[in-house]
Amino acid sequence: MPTTATYTEPVLRRIDVTAPLVADGSAAGSDQIKIATEHVSIKYGEKVAVKDVTLTVQARSILALIGPSGSGKSTFLRCFNRMNDLIPGAKVQGQVCLDGENVTDQDVSVVELRRRVGMVFQRPNPFPMSIYENVAYGPRRRGMNGRRQLDELVETSLKRAALWDEVKDDLRRKSGLALSGGQQQRLCIARVLATEPEVILMDEPASALDPVSTLRIEELMRELREAYTIVIVTHNMQQAARVSDVTAFFTMADDRAGYLVEVGPTGRIFTRPTERLTEDYISGRFG
Amino acid sequence: MAQLTNTYRATGLRAAPSLRQRIDLPRRVVFGAAASMIFIVVLLLAFITWQGLQLFIKDGVSIGQILSPTWQPDSTSPNLSFGLLPFIAGTVYVTALALLISTPVSVGLALFLSEVAPGWARAIVQPALEIFVGIPSVVWGWLGITILVPFLSHTFHGGMVLSLPIAGDVFRVPGFLTGFSWLAGSLVLSIMIVPTITSVSYDAFRAVPQELRTGSLALGTTRWQTIRHLLIPSALTGVLTAIVLGMTRAAGEALAVQMVIGNSPSMPAAITQPVTTLTSQITLDMGNTVFGEPWQDALWTMSLVLLVISISSVVLVRVINKRRMGA
Ligand SMILES: Nc1ncnc2c1ncn2[C@@H]1O[C@H](COP(=O)(O)OP(=O)(O)OP(=O)(O)O)[C@@H](O)[C@H]1O
Ligand SMILES: [Mg+2]
């Protein structure tokens, strides 16, 4: 993992308590567990949006979250980098462990957590500044100032996001807003890569893009998988099938609370799902 | 057009002509109103410009004299002089200090309201600001005279000195004579322009899309970093516009300033000394002059200078906002 080389020691906790965690692994990637959730429930006020989800994500693999609208996929995704903290009334129960550390504890530094767990949003959201400054934004905020160092990081990040060739000539002059939608989304990915994360969360990253840009993003994800752990929410069944190693199917219970129906290797989920609900959903959309 | 209408008639499509008729009347009214509005504005500008130039054309006063510091406009005075520099400098200095005081407070308040304050705090502060705007200048001037001026002359009658251990006195200001002063004028103005700068910059901050804030926070930045490095740069043109609008309001305010400023037609020497401004001198003098005499022509010239200031700031706002579109 070349980009995470600068991390000497990932210290999330201000108070150092490390609870080792044992969970059963499944499928693909390495056999190291990157993320594990245990009995995670998320409420908005009184409304339960996600109910009792337990799953694990292997390091350097891609997990796809699929399921009908309102089944809590985005809500669940946001618990990995604690973006739910920003939503008034949102409450997360249960454990979310990153490398065995429970990140839902109040003494965990969200700033540090979000550097390790980056996020790409549904709508590309480049900042109104130059392409260069967009990518350098994260590193600058954690105190990287050296011109050479930044130049290098911006270049490698843009290269990894497969955007470098298209923008290298006016990095500093062109605003991030002046790019096409697909380019903007790759810029947002480069921006996340520049913070040198270990995990990248993507909430329908290609849903606002044309088919060609979508394929580029998918290719990119396959490449990034070599170095990063990726969790993606998608409504596009083909995309989940093409891109992911593991697929988790969410749906809503009668009380409209989202829950995990089943999770397993993508190939199996799409060919031989064990649950009736999964089969219905996949054949309805996929067949 | 008429032909087109006839064609519609001929083909039996009556909907189009009837649509035209309905649009026509309101259109005429709107155009008429707009035209007369423009006409009045142009007429006013032409009139003030014409009157403002009389001092040069009719009275033969030179630009050089206008820019001198000596103001002796009374025709009985032995050495008649129409130096407007004290007024121009007074307006610029009083406005500048007011902006210097008001901008950090107002922009800070706007940031607080837009980024930090809970809904209920916003619900209190916003109407409060609106009430603020509605308070007439004479009330501010009156508060200035009865509270601020005595306070200043009491507290700082010995002057102000800022001494540093090694550098010695880095800043020394003579004491107040009466409290009526440049500082008093700027303080009163700085309070009066708080609502303008606050509400315009507040709008600028709110106009920054929420998803940018979320995007920044998701990169592992603190809330303060997001404000400092994303929000303020993104809203900068709006904030600059707010400051220019505050400046225009401050430069144009007459009554409240005139009440606390001491009105001494000399070059501003220290913030504790009385000064005067274009607006306050115009209001003070206009009753003493006769139409057509050079003194009054000089007042018109001062109005013209004010007009140029406010037109420049309108242009400035436009330029600032053009930049934003271009970015
Ligand atoms: N900020 C919020 N405040 C209150 N309720 C919310 C909020 N965000 C989501 N919800 C509710 O939580 C439930 C799950 O929403 P979520 O956005 O996680 O679903 P999703 O699976 O991502 O749906 P979609 O596929 O449409 O994106 C929904 O019922 C939604 O109404
Ligand atoms: Mg969603």
Side-chain angles (χ1 to χ4, degrees), chain A residues 92 129 279:
Chain A
V92 179
M129 46 185 87
E279 193 178 345

Side-chain angles (χ1 to χ4, degrees), chain A residues 100-115:
Chain A
E101 285 181 83
N102 183 9
V103 304
T104 61
D105 279 0
Q106 282 311 304
D107 62 348
V108 162
S109 151
V110 281
V111 167
E112 188 54 43
L113 172 66
R114 288 175 190 158
R115 277 174 195 163

Side-chain angles (χ1 to χ4, degrees), chain A:
Chain A
M1 244 199 291
T3 53
T4 53
T6 52
Y7 275 108
T8 43
E9 212 183 339
V11 183
L12 274 180
R13 282 163 195 271
R14 290 183 203 115
I15 303 163
D16 195 8
V17 190
T18 345
L21 189 121
V22 189
D24 57 324
S26 61
S30 74
D31 47 10
Q32 179 202 347
I33 292 165
K34 192 69 190 172
I35 305 173
T37 71
E38 286 217 17
H39 305 293
V40 165
S41 295
I42 305 169
K43 285 192 213 162
Y44 293 109
E46 286 308 303
K47 184 189 183 307
V48 180
V50 173
K51 200 166 66 185
D52 198 21
V53 177
T54 300
L55 57 71
T56 60
V57 189
Q58 308 291 341
R60 277 161 251 179
S61 74
I62 300 181
L63 168 69
L65 307 180
I66 61 170
S69 197
S71 56
K73 307 178 294 294
S74 300
T75 304
F76 182 61
L77 190 73
R78 283 195 295 266
C79 78
F80 297 132
N81 63 344
R82 301 240 323 237
M83 289 305 272
N84 286 319
D85 287 14
L86 301 176
I87 301 172
K91 269 200 304 288
V92 179
Q93 288 157 344
Q95 285 203 342
V96 180
C97 294
L98 178 67
D99 287 335
E101 285 181 83
N102 183 9
V103 304
T104 61
D105 279 0
Q106 282 311 304
D107 62 348
V108 162
S109 151
V110 281
V111 167
E112 188 54 43
L113 172 66
R114 288 175 190 158
R115 277 174 195 163
R116 291 177 57 190
V117 183
M119 188 168 217
V120 176
F121 297 82
Q122 178 170 7
R123 283 226 330 244
N125 56 351
F127 300 142
M129 46 185 87
S130 72
I131 293 168
Y132 184 95
E133 286 305 323
N134 261 282
V135 182
Y137 184 88
R140 278 195 203 281
R141 298 296 86 80
R142 52 154 211 255
M144 188 188 276
N145 286 316
R147 171 78 188 254
R148 290 253 318 278
Q149 224 182 341
L150 276 174
D151 284 356
E152 220 167 87
L153 184 56
V154 168
E155 183 173 339
T156 47
S157 305
L158 284 168
K159 278 181 174 158
R160 292 192 148 218
L163 187 60
W164 175 252
D165 289 331
E166 291 156 67
V167 300
K168 61 169 185 265
D169 295 326
D170 33 24
L171 273 186
R172 287 167 198 281
R173 263 180 300 127
K174 197 165 183 175
S175 163
L177 303 177
L179 297 171
S180 75
Q183 289 174 325
Q184 286 187 0
Q185 195 62 302
R186 276 178 283 146
L187 177 62
C188 292
I189 293 174
R191 192 171 71 185
V192 167
L193 297 181
T195 64
E196 310 186 322
E198 297 155 36
V199 178
I200 303 173
L201 310 174
M202 300 184 171
D203 195 348
E204 302 183 50
S207 68
L209 306 182
D210 66 277
V212 177
S213 306
T214 302
L215 282 178
R216 292 210 65 162
I217 301 273
E218 288 179 12
E219 265 168 40
L220 181 58
M221 283 166 43
R222 292 308 297 179
E223 283 160 25
L224 293 176
R225 174 183 176 277
E226 304 295 320
Y228 306 90
T229 307
I230 298 175
V231 183
I232 174 183
V233 173
T234 180
H235 274 287
N236 181 330
M237 294 296 118
Q238 284 97 330
Q239 186 169 70
R242 277 193 300 261
V243 159
S244 68
D245 303 300
V246 178
T247 298
F249 173 62
F250 282 69
T251 196
M252 283 173 291
D254 294 334
D255 58 357
R256 305 194 60 76
Y259 69 99
L260 176 66
V261 178
E262 69 173 304
V263 54
T266 299
R268 183 182 66 70
I269 293 282
F270 280 94
T271 51
R272 285 170 283 111
T274 46
E275 298 295 324
R276 184 63 201 269
L277 283 166
T278 315
E279 193 178 345
D280 289 349
Y281 185 74
I282 285 168
S283 54
R285 297 280 185 105
F286 197 44

